[in-house]
Amino acid sequence: MPTYVTAEADTSELPKVVAEGPPKPSLNLSGSPVKRSRIGDLPMRVIYRILAVVTAVVVAAVAAVAGLMYSGSSDQPGEEASGPIAAPSAATPSPGVGSPGPSPSGSASPSLSPSPSPTVSAARAPGRSAAVVAALSDPRVPGMPRGKRLARLPGKEHKAKLRLQDAKSGVSLARLARPWKTYGAPPFSTKQVLPKVKGGVTRAMFVSCPVPIKVQDTPEETALLAARWTLNHHPKGSTIAWTASQPVEDGWLLAYRVKYKIKAKARFSMAAVVVTEVPGAARPAMVFVTIPDAQRAYWRDINTAVASVRLR
């Protein structure tokens, strides 16, 4: 029988497979682990968003700095940024009485200035006295009226057969028929009135006296101041609207509508004032008549009253 000889081959041990653990972090000189950046681990869309936000912040900061630099001298409240100063006109007129001052912006363009009102224009006219300027600056009084004759007012004409003598003023005037009657004169020289209207505040009257205001250079201006003074005998807040302005013998006549309110209701009176020079008298004579709308049936008596003024 054959004999089998078992041969043992040279064998060596297989290397052991050992699973390695996670890499140990690097240590710095102090022994603490070195921190590594995680940017590389971020998705690209996140990086783009971060860059967009940073860009927006930078742009806003630049705009804010530019705005501060542009504002310059206008950083005070209520101030405007200074601009180029316009050269003054070669012949700038000096402002007269009642004329507006220079524009705050220094502009010389007349289109930027409001057109003056009639009252201001009249007040700025050369030769006006301080009293006339004050009267024309009064919001109750419009500008100097243009020439216009007194029209025949509505109502029944009452012919006056008698006359009153005003020794203080140096004139005579009609004594109006009933229901007009003479009344206590002060502060006037003569006074005639109509009976009071029930519930009325104003009263019709026809009076005369030396002018109670400063005499002006012309009868027209004296009449203007006299008409303004007569507002003292109308309700508070009354205003004037001219209806006539005409010369009379040695004087001037102004007629006007006096507007006011009584218990919040608009009312008015028709009125007229005559100023006339009296030879040898220290002051001109003034004749004043006013009749409220509640007694409009007697408005024609205004024509009779002003036409009756005569030197004594």
Side-chain angles (χ1 to χ4, degrees):
M1 298 250 336
T3 302
Y4 294 93
V5 181
T6 302
E8 295 182 0
D10 294 333
T11 62
S12 60
E13 295 182 358
L14 294 174
K16 295 181 179 181
V17 178
V18 180
E20 295 183 359
K24 296 182 179 181
S26 302
L27 302 178
N28 55 19
L29 295 178
S30 62
S32 60
V34 177
K35 295 181 180 179
R36 296 182 178 179
S37 174
R38 305 288 294 178
I39 295 178
D41 298 334
L42 296 176
M44 292 303 295
R45 66 176 179 273
V46 176
I47 295 175
Y48 291 153
R49 289 178 183 175
I50 294 173
L51 292 176
V53 171
V54 172
T55 303
V57 171
V58 172
V59 171
V62 172
V65 172
L68 290 175
M69 294 178 63
Y70 178 79
S71 61
S73 60
S74 62
D75 56 353
Q76 296 297 327
E79 292 186 1
E80 297 181 358
S82 59
I85 301 176
S89 174
T92 303
S94 58
V97 177
S99 62
S103 170
S105 62
S107 173
S109 175
S111 61
L112 300 180
S113 302
S115 57
S117 65
T119 298
V120 175
S121 297
R124 288 166 53 185
R128 300 289 190 209
S129 69
V132 173
V133 171
L136 294 176
S137 300
D138 189 334
R140 302 174 302 168
V141 181
M144 291 293 293
R146 296 181 178 179
K148 182 180 180 181
R149 298 192 65 83
L150 177 63
R152 289 170 60 91
L153 297 174
K156 183 180 179 180
E157 182 178 4
H158 299 90
K159 292 185 178 180
K161 298 180 180 180
L162 302 177
R163 298 187 67 81
L164 287 178
Q165 302 294 324
D166 183 353
K168 291 184 179 180
S169 301
V171 296
S172 67
L173 54 154
R175 181 168 181 171
L176 300 176
R178 290 185 179 184
W180 288 91
K181 63 179 181 179
T182 58
Y183 197 75
F188 306 101
S189 303
T190 68
K191 185 176 183 180
Q192 302 175 64
V193 298
L194 282 175
K196 285 185 177 181
V197 177
K198 185 178 180 180
V201 176
T202 59
R203 187 172 189 176
M205 61 180 179
F206 174 30
V207 301
S208 65
C209 65
V211 289
I213 44 84
K214 185 177 180 180
V215 180
Q216 301 301 302
D217 293 336
T218 66
E220 183 180 8
E221 292 180 341
T222 302
L224 174 74
L225 297 189
R228 182 195 184 202
W229 179 87
T230 65
L231 291 177
N232 296 325
H233 296 275
H234 290 97
K236 185 178 181 180
S238 296
T239 59
I240 285 176
W242 304 118
T243 58
S245 175
Q246 68 182 70
V248 294
E249 186 177 358
D250 299 317
W252 203 270
L253 177 149
L254 290 176
Y256 46 100
R257 183 182 293 108
V258 184
K259 303 176 184 178
Y260 46 84
K261 287 186 177 181
I262 298 177
K263 296 181 180 179
K265 185 177 181 180
R267 306 298 295 266
F268 68 97
S269 295
M270 296 301 295
V273 64
V274 174
V275 171
T276 183
E277 295 286 345
V278 178
R283 306 173 73 81
M286 181 192 79
V287 174
F288 164 53
V289 56
T290 178
I291 303 176
D293 55 359
Q295 295 175 307
R296 65 183 67 210
Y298 298 94
W299 278 350
R300 181 69 63 83
D301 289 342
I302 294 177
N303 295 91
T304 302
V306 298
S308 70
V309 180
R310 300 284 187 275
L311 297 178
R312 288 194 305 116

